[in-house]
Amino acid sequence: MIEQPNPRWLLPTELVVLAACASAPLWWPLTVPIVLPLLIMASVSMAARRVSMSSSPAPGGVEATWIGAGCGALALIASVLLATPFLQYGLGLAVQWSAFPELRGSAAQAFAVAVLITALTAAQELVFRRWVIERAFQLGASGSGAITVAAVLEAVVGPGGLGARVGLAVGGFGLGLLYWRGGRRLGPALAARLAFSLGAVALQALRLVG
């Protein structure tokens, strides 16, 4: 992944867009997922640095992707059995599993939501892993520091209350570790997020979670 020198306008523009997206729900009711303007900024940033979104710094096989999918499934189980009860009954925080309550008990709605979630998941991984982690690392952050920056940003711009944002931060950090330890390839983190998200859709369609 060979990067070109950064244009002077790039970093200020990135910071303005990030700040605007983080504060947008406070002053502008969004009708599109917040990841879409972030994906546009990510595309502009990587094009300006002549970096491909599909490139990776290190080659790797499919084994790491399967490991990522397994980690996503385990995270879903832990969320249902451990994290959700702790947040609800231990801390008194509300936990909302989906922004699509209509999919509960409906296979047709679940399929439509699954298609949408797959597209949004790919966009989220491109934004928070390929763009934010790599950009923070390029600007001087350590690997763990870049992962933390992406996880915090994902929680800040994400929807929901405190419980949801805590979950986004923890999940984002785990996905960042998968990305980094998988040779900075999108496959492991993308597989983990898809396993978690699509598994959650299936559980809601079966009325096993709220």
Side-chain angles (χ1 to χ4, degrees):
M1 186 181 293
I2 301 175
E3 298 190 7
Q4 300 297 318
N6 298 328
R8 291 184 178 181
W9 54 266
L10 183 56
L11 181 58
T13 303
E14 290 171 316
L15 294 176
V16 167
V17 170
L18 290 174
C21 289
S23 62
L26 301 177
W27 51 270
W28 180 35
L30 295 176
T31 57
V32 297
I34 196 66
V35 73
L36 295 184
L38 289 174
L39 182 61
I40 293 173
M41 184 67 252
S43 301
V44 171
S45 173
M46 300 188 78
R49 292 178 287 127
R50 299 184 183 180
V51 177
S52 171
M53 281 193 172
S54 61
S55 63
S56 61
V62 298
E63 295 85 359
T65 300
W66 285 110
I67 291 173
C71 289
L74 290 175
L76 177 61
I77 295 171
S79 296
V80 173
L81 299 181
L82 301 175
T84 296
F86 174 73
L87 290 173
Q88 287 181 326
Y89 304 115
L91 300 180
L93 300 175
V95 176
Q96 181 179 352
W97 274 88
S98 174
F100 308 97
E102 65 274 8
L103 67 83
R104 297 194 68 204
S106 172
Q109 289 286 348
F111 177 78
V113 170
V115 172
L116 175 61
I117 285 178
T118 299
L120 290 177
T121 293
Q124 288 168 328
E125 288 308 304
L126 288 171
V127 166
F128 297 112
R129 253 52 69 186
R130 181 67 82 215
W131 173 40
V132 176
I133 285 183
E134 294 295 341
R135 189 74 167 109
F137 184 65
Q138 183 207 27
L139 291 172
S142 63
S144 59
I147 292 169
T148 302
V149 168
V152 170
L153 178 62
E154 189 167 359
V156 169
V157 303
L162 179 59
R165 293 175 187 271
V166 170
L168 285 172
V170 173
F173 191 83
L175 291 169
L177 286 176
L178 283 173
Y179 173 80
W180 197 263
R181 295 182 180 274
R184 290 153 68 187
R185 295 183 298 113
L186 284 174
L190 180 60
R193 189 188 282 269
L194 282 174
F196 184 96
S197 300
L198 297 181
V201 169
L203 291 178
Q204 289 172 85
L206 295 172
R207 298 181 181 271
L208 296 179
V209 296

